[in-house]
Amino acid sequence: MKFMPLNLIKPIVVLLVTLTSAVFFVFQSPQTQNPSSSLSTMSSSSSSSSSVGRSFVLWLHGLGDSGPANEPIKNLFTSPQFRNTKWLFPSAPNGPVTCNYGHVMPSWFDIHEIPITADSPQDESGLLKAVKNVHATIDKEIADGTNPNNVFICGFSQGGALTLASVLLYPKTLGGGAVFSGWVPFNSSSSIIGQITPEAKRTPLLWSHGIIDRTVLFEAGQAGPPFLEKIGVGCEFKAYPGLAHSISNEELRNLESWIKTRLQSSS
């Protein structure tokens, strides 16, 4: 899937279609249920899961997508441990995107080129503004009583890049950060690295990437863990053969297991 700079529409269509197909693939799970809560009140509880403390999962979508379109993802997490989980699927603000010739679309920060490689230019100022908003959401959830160790940030594509930056720049250790088909949104000389606290370096990271991804190249994802290792951050990396720029049910099942092993008890 090549990026064609002479075609104004193609890069937009390619990215939106792949993101939509990822969501529809998830929708087709036989375990899908109808969401019944709004974005700000998506939580449920059960006495049978009282041993597991309240938890929070923030899901950040990709370029051109929306939060509500991703809500059915939560219905795949059927384990009892998630009965005390609050889910939040915010939508990115609209803004001009350079790789799409300034076309205005939902975007957490600017993206300069597609496909994204390990050496693509970054919009660090826009990234930091988005990180500030993510941190405000986390702060509110912790203030409402959620243990930071039960806070998980997850994101796909651009949302995955934002997830990584948000977790690394948060001053406390969180339950975990999960990056799907994302990339490191800053370079090795960035001042961002100096802002990463020892507590943030202890937050577990899961990185999943499709080997045949032609939007965020596999090389961009594969370069993430070694980059993080150099700055003292551990990361579990999983490659998915045959997977393009989308999310598979296998990835989400693995995420469910990964989060379950990290949830803290209420005591």
Side-chain angles (χ1 to χ4, degrees), residues 34-209:
N34 291 326
S36 58
S37 332
S38 68
L39 287 177
S40 60
T41 59
M42 291 186 295
S43 62
S44 60
S45 62
S46 170
S47 58
S48 65
S49 57
S50 59
S51 63
V52 177
R54 166 177 168 158
S55 58
F56 176 65
V57 178
L58 177 65
W59 187 277
L60 303 172
H61 65 74
L63 177 67
D65 204 0
S66 72
N70 287 263
E71 285 184 36
I73 287 174
K74 73 186 179 76
N75 297 314
L76 298 180
F77 291 68
T78 57
S79 298
Q81 290 88 339
F82 291 93
R83 289 176 182 160
N84 290 335
T85 300
K86 174 182 177 180
W87 294 77
L88 190 63
F89 296 84
S91 293
N94 288 325
V97 179
T98 299
C99 68
N100 286 331
Y101 296 88
H103 184 84
V104 175
M105 61 187 351
S107 182
W108 301 111
F109 52 88
D110 196 15
I111 295 178
H112 294 278
E113 64 182 21
I114 295 176
I116 294 169
T117 71
D119 301 314
S120 290
Q122 310 291 352
D123 171 27
E124 289 191 9
S125 62
L127 173 71
L128 291 174
K129 289 179 183 177
V131 166
K132 185 177 180 180
N133 290 330
V134 172
H135 285 181
T137 300
I138 298 172
D139 289 342
K140 182 180 184 304
E141 189 59 33
I142 293 174
D144 287 345
T146 303
N147 186 327
N149 291 324
N150 281 344
V151 172
F152 297 86
I153 314 303
C154 311
F156 172 70
S157 191
Q158 186 190 43
L162 177 56
T163 290
L164 181 63
S166 297
V167 167
L168 291 178
L169 290 174
Y170 197 71
K172 298 178 181 178
T173 302
L174 299 176
V179 177
F180 294 90
S181 305
W183 68 94
V184 179
F186 51 87
N187 56 48
S188 57
S189 61
S190 172
S191 61
I192 288 177
I193 295 175
Q195 301 174 44
I196 303 173
T197 66
E199 290 77 16
K201 291 181 179 181
R202 290 196 288 269
T203 297
L205 289 172
L206 173 67
W207 195 312
S208 306
H209 213 110

Side-chain angles (χ1 to χ4, degrees), residues 22 25-31 59 73 76-77 178-180 206-211 236-244 246-259:
F25 183 74
V26 173
F27 289 3
Q28 292 169 352
S29 168
Q31 298 174 347
W59 187 277
I73 287 174
L76 298 180
F77 291 68
V179 177
F180 294 90
L206 173 67
W207 195 312
S208 306
H209 213 110
I211 291 180
E236 179 183 347
F237 185 82
K238 290 186 174 292
Y240 289 81
L243 183 65
S246 59
I247 302 175
S248 69
N249 284 5
E250 182 183 359
E251 286 179 294
L252 293 174
R253 285 192 297 268
N254 182 60
L255 175 64
E256 180 182 25
S257 298
W258 188 81
I259 291 179

